[in-house]
Structures are given as C-alpha cells and as structure tokens.
Amino acid sequence: KNQVEQSPQSLIILEGKNCTLQCNYTVSPFSNLRWYKQDTGRGPVSLTIMTFSENTKSNGRYTATLDADTKQSSLHITASQLSDSASYICVVSEDSNSGYALNFGKGTSLLVTP
Amino acid sequence: EAQVTQNPRYLITVTGKKLTVTCSQNMNHEYMSWYRQDPGLGLRQIYYSMNVEVTDKGDVPEGYKVSRKEKRNFPLILESPSPNQTSLYFCASSFRVGIHNSPLHFGNGTRLTVT
C-alpha cells in the first residue's frame, strides 16, 4: 500500500500564476519529508526538507509547509516560470527499528504554459 | 563535481540476454539504491545498500541482482531480462538515509527496453 499520496496527479497553469501541490502521508513513525523536482529526462533533485518541528520552509519561489498533526505537506510555487514544468515528488522518511525507510509519492506533473 | 554516474543512458536488448547497468558515485556516500520509474507508478525501489557488502531488497526486487563490493559502485544486474523490465532506471546515493541533511542524489537514468 502506498503511504504517500500526492494530488493533483497533473496540473496545468499559466506562466506567472501560483500553484499548490499536496502531499498526504500515513508513514509512522515520521522522520522527515522531502520534496524533489524531476525535470523531464533527468533524475530528481531535492528542493527542501521538512522535519517534525518545522512548519514552513522556503527555497526561492518554492515554499513547503508541514502539518505533522494532520500528516499533510504542501509545496507552493509563486510566480511560476516555464522552467518550473516538471514532476514534483514527495518522499517521506520512516524511522523504523531496522533503520530508515523511504516512502515515495507518485508525483505531481506540472506544466507551465506561456 | 559531485555526481552519480549511470551507464549506459539507453539500452535495447532482447529477452534473456544478461545485462549490467553500472552506477558510481564520487561523494563517499554510504547509502546507495536503485529505482525503476514507470508511468502512473512513480519511483519504486528495487534494491538498496546501507554500506559496503550490505544489500537489501526494496519493493520490487524480483528479476534483479545487485552487489556492493566497494563504496563507490553499485551495479544492477538483470540475469535474464524480460519485457516487463522495460523501464526507466535510476541509481541514487546519500550520505546516510535518515540524517536530516542527507538528500538522495540521483543519476540521470538508464532507459532500458527489452524486446
């Protein structure tokens, strides 16, 4: 079963507009949550990491939030650019007895159009 | 430059012909892993390695083998490829999974087609 659900599955927005991507998880015990950006034909690249005690973190025009109580995270993109067109993947790290396990969401595909 | 290098980038082969996809990292990372990415399914972990000579199955290990004889290399071996192994494969490494400042560093992928 997938413990990380992302929505929407795909999204099309106009250049300059804002958007918000959602990640809901059931992973427990929680260690941290990362958002990755994957450009077409490339490997994913880490955008930001959220730990249990962090509510919000920004990386340029990307702002991630975390609500550990409701087990929800969001990635907000401000003033979108054509280069933001990519897949965004949420990865939740599980702190288990055998070490740390990574749980991947299926990603949100974002297309920014002129 | 810190990087994860996979080879080849593209590979077309026939059913049953053994192949190896190489992966090498130059960051002295302890953790390495292999994933396959299929449309609608996202990234799924095949095998991972917490350190040299330590490997474990991920979510979809059937039909794959790995080895970790040295820290920098983590090859993926398909002993008898089948068409359902046609996919985009990624190798990744991290200093240590679970440490907060250790993201996964991914290679640029290997697109494998098995006919």
Side-chain angles (χ1 to χ4, degrees):
Chain A
K1 68 184 189 299
N2 199 332
Q3 300 188 67
V4 180
E5 299 288 344
Q6 291 188 243
S7 61
Q9 190 173 9
S10 62
L11 183 61
I12 302 174
I13 62 173
L14 288 174
E15 186 179 11
K17 296 296 186 182
N18 303 336
C19 68
T20 300
L21 314 181
Q22 197 68 30
C23 175
N24 297 338
Y25 62 92
T26 59
V27 175
S28 182
F30 172 87
S31 176
N32 61 69
L33 183 151
R34 280 189 187 272
W35 284 94
Y36 287 82
K37 179 188 180 188
Q38 184 179 18
D39 293 317
T40 302
R42 307 294 297 271
V45 175
S46 178
L47 285 174
T48 186
I49 179 174
M50 305 295 291
T51 58
F52 188 86
S53 59
E54 295 173 311
N55 297 118
T56 184
K57 184 178 286 186
S58 292
N59 177 2
R61 293 179 298 101
Y62 300 100
T63 299
T65 65
L66 175 67
D67 186 332
D69 291 331
T70 61
K71 298 187 177 182
Q72 296 180 328
S73 177
S74 65
L75 182 68
H76 186 74
I77 304 175
T78 303
S80 61
Q81 300 176 358
L82 298 179
S83 59
D84 292 330
S85 294
S87 179
Y88 292 83
I89 302 169
C90 175
V91 182
V92 182
S93 180
E94 175 184 354
D95 185 358
S96 67
N97 291 334
S98 58
Y100 293 91
L102 298 176
N103 298 272
F104 288 77
K106 294 181 180 179
T108 292
S109 178
L110 173 65
L111 177 62
V112 181
T113 62
Chain B
E1 180 188 353
Q3 60 185 0
V4 177
T5 303
Q6 290 179 235
N7 280 299
R9 287 295 308 275
Y10 301 92
L11 180 58
I12 300 173
T13 190
V14 296
T15 299
K17 187 176 181 181
K18 180 179 178 180
L19 66 91
T20 299
V21 184
T22 64
C23 175
S24 179
Q25 51 92 6
N26 61 1
M27 294 168 280
N28 201 35
H29 284 168
E30 291 185 358
Y31 181 91
M32 296 186 75
S33 56
W34 276 102
Y35 303 86
R36 60 178 290 172
Q37 188 174 40
D38 302 289
L41 297 177
L43 285 161
R44 293 181 292 167
Q45 191 177 57
I46 302 171
Y47 269 95
Y48 65 96
S49 170
M50 300 294 279
N51 214 325
V52 177
E53 301 291 1
V54 180
T55 62
D56 279 297
K57 295 178 180 178
D59 297 320
V60 288
E62 294 77 22
Y64 305 95
K65 284 175 58 177
V66 293
S67 68
R68 187 90 182 273
K69 293 186 172 64
E70 47 191 345
K71 202 170 191 178
R72 63 182 293 125
N73 295 323
F74 191 45
L76 179 69
I77 303 158
L78 284 72
E79 294 272 2
S80 182
S82 62
N84 65 12
Q85 292 178 298
T86 292
S87 187
L88 179 59
Y89 291 86
F90 287 100
C91 178
S93 73
S94 175
F95 175 66
R96 194 177 299 148
V97 172
I99 299 297
H100 295 167
N101 292 323
S102 296
L104 286 170
H105 295 260
F106 286 84
N108 278 330
T110 295
R111 186 165 292 281
L112 172 65
T113 301
V114 184
T115 62

